[in-house]
Amino acid sequence: MRGFDRFLMVDWSGGNDAGARPRKDAIWIGESGPQGDATPLYQRNRTVAEETLATRIEAALTAGERLCIGFDFPFGYPAGFAAALTGHADPFAVWGWLAARIADAPRENNRFDVAAGINLHLTQGQGPFWGNGLRRDIAGLPRTKAGYRNPFPDRRVIETRAKGAFTCWQLSGAGAVGSQVLMGLPVLERLRQRFADQVAVWPFEPLDRPIAFVEIWPSLINDTVRAATGEGDIRDAVQVRLVARALGGLAPDRLEAMLQVDAPEEGWILGHGFEQELLQREGAPCP
């Protein structure tokens, strides 16, 4: 496999518009390329981020570059969910299902209602999603796990191995990633369709196209991120810059080794099991 020319790493958000002033718990994009690290980009909402990513994909294709884009949310759900929801044990069936139903505007979206609808369809409203973060009650979406029932595994295989990783079923609360998944997968599906035959998604497809989407988890290099985050720094911005630098500093054969994963339904976190190698590469001087 030819190596990548450029790496974009994205810290995602499942919430509403974060405002004009850069802040934490928003969307940040870090970049490493032939000219070294770029200043992380703040994206106030998903609409802006989607267009930024589309523009960067178009630029890479025009320049003949291979571009790797990492997103810090799961690309798949625990085994069995895709087939129960769509009739197909295919993560892309879930991507398409969500893209057809999620409504997303800068200041409002329907993620909690969509999750409630899934719960009502699968378990009469007892699960697998939980964590209604809105003031209004939503039939079918419990606020807590009282009376909760989940017919699927609580975590993907990778989340049982990556210490500290959260389940994708939790939609609100500290550290929850469930909303990011619901609001992120439709964006990836639209980009995948917009650039048909140019985007490959790991680990579901061979990375034989110019653009690759991969799943990341910056906590793999948490100690380095913590040490590099100074007073006044926004951690989200620091971590996407460091993850982009770490992956960009790898020799192509070492990245290829990290990509050798068999997880055709649930997905995987790139770099798990190679943490020390990522830390060593991140610690190298910037290009």
Side-chain angles (χ1 to χ4, degrees), residues 37 224 241-242 245-246 248-250 277-287:
D37 297 347
T224 298
R241 175 175 60 83
L242 296 184
R245 182 194 298 177
L250 291 169
E277 192 165 346
L278 288 173
L279 289 168
Q280 291 168 4
R281 290 310 312 165
E282 199 294 307
C286 297

Side-chain angles (χ1 to χ4, degrees), residues 129-216:
F129 293 102
W130 67 278
N132 174 12
L134 301 181
R135 292 182 178 179
R136 63 180 172 89
D137 290 332
I138 303 176
L141 185 63
R143 294 187 182 276
T144 69
K145 298 186 78 172
Y148 176 76
R149 181 168 68 86
N150 186 355
F152 311 106
D154 186 56
R155 298 171 186 269
R156 301 180 298 160
V157 171
I158 182 57
E159 289 152 358
T160 68
R161 301 184 183 183
K163 184 178 180 181
F166 275 67
T167 171
C168 57
W169 306 124
Q170 182 181 349
L171 301 183
S172 63
V177 299
S179 285
Q180 295 184 32
V181 184
L182 288 177
M183 303 311 298
L185 293 182
V187 173
L188 299 195
E189 177 65 8
R190 286 193 294 272
L191 289 172
R192 183 171 165 263
Q193 296 300 328
R194 181 169 175 174
F195 298 99
D197 301 322
Q198 301 294 326
V199 174
V201 181
W202 177 85
F204 309 137
E205 299 175 308
L207 297 187
D208 55 2
R209 299 173 186 172
I211 312 299
F213 290 171
V214 302
E215 179 185 337
I216 62 168

